[in-house]
Amino acid sequence: MGCLLDEPTNDLDIPTLEILEENLLDFPGALVLVTHDRYLLNRVSSTVLGLDGRGHTGRFADYAQWEDWIEEQVQSGRARRQNARRRLQLGPANRR
């Protein structure tokens, strides 16, 4: 049994959010949550599947791990771009 919820916390008041969270914690099946609610993700998720918007995915224990991974992706992309610029500046004869 599974449940797919797309932005389930939008427009909910605090008491209703608490009821939703408690029911999700008690849900016996798999949950797929599409949400920007970090608190909800950390409270009810055992695994976070993160998407970086460039076709890469990763599995994480919580939202903070996903944020760290995204930052690593950004830093890695910057380093690749800087290396490519250096190679272009050196020209073909100086490349290794």
Side-chain angles (χ1 to χ4, degrees):
M1 172 174 25
C3 182
L4 169 65
L5 298 173
D6 183 9
E7 298 292 349
T9 60
N10 283 3
D11 303 318
L12 298 181
D13 60 12
I14 299 298
T16 307
L17 275 171
E18 291 171 350
I19 292 168
L20 173 65
E21 287 173 9
E22 291 302 321
N23 281 288
L24 292 177
L25 287 169
D26 291 338
F27 186 72
L31 291 172
V32 176
L33 299 173
V34 178
T35 184
H36 292 92
D37 188 334
R38 298 172 185 185
Y39 179 79
L40 178 73
L41 279 175
N42 284 334
R43 180 142 154 78
V44 304
S45 299
S46 59
T47 301
V48 173
L49 176 63
L51 310 173
D52 72 355
R54 298 173 192 256
H56 302 108
T57 62
R59 289 180 55 183
F60 309 96
D62 57 25
Y63 188 85
Q65 280 187 348
W66 177 80
E67 284 184 312
D68 292 342
W69 178 72
I70 287 294
E71 183 59 31
E72 290 171 7
Q73 297 291 322
V74 168
Q75 295 298 330
S76 176
R78 284 183 188 145
R80 281 193 304 275
R81 287 189 299 277
Q82 287 175 347
N83 288 337
R85 277 189 224 116
R86 276 191 222 112
R87 285 193 305 272
L88 286 172
Q89 290 171 349
L90 290 173
N94 295 320
R95 289 187 198 151
R96 294 186 209 184

